[in-house]
Amino acid sequence: MLIKEYDSILLKDGRKGVVMEVFKNPDICLVDVEIGIDDYDHISVFPQDIANVIME
């Protein structure tokens, strides 16, 4: 699965997020996930934690 910046993704734990940056070494993504109305958290995500890309 190819993951790019600004892709909307679904994590395996059910949360939805937007990829803000993709790092190659190690393979990890910085993702903004919604934690409430107009409230977001920045988390680090490994590719194996992503269920699928919702929108490219």
Side-chain angles (χ1 to χ4, degrees):
M1 165 179 0
L2 180 63
I3 300 163
K4 303 180 304 270
E5 288 183 4
Y6 308 116
D7 283 349
S8 294
I9 59 169
L10 176 65
L11 298 174
K12 289 184 179 176
D13 65 8
R15 295 181 290 174
K16 294 179 183 176
V18 176
V19 177
M20 301 311 300
E21 193 163 353
V22 178
F23 301 98
K24 295 297 178 192
N25 192 8
D27 282 344
I28 196 164
C29 303
L30 181 62
V31 177
D32 283 352
V33 291
E34 187 173 327
I35 57 173
I37 298 174
D38 295 329
D39 196 14
Y40 294 85
D41 195 12
H42 308 287
I43 63 171
S44 298
V45 174
F46 292 99
Q48 59 265 27
D49 298 327
I50 299 172
N52 59 32
V53 175
I54 300 169
M55 268 190 330
E56 294 183 2

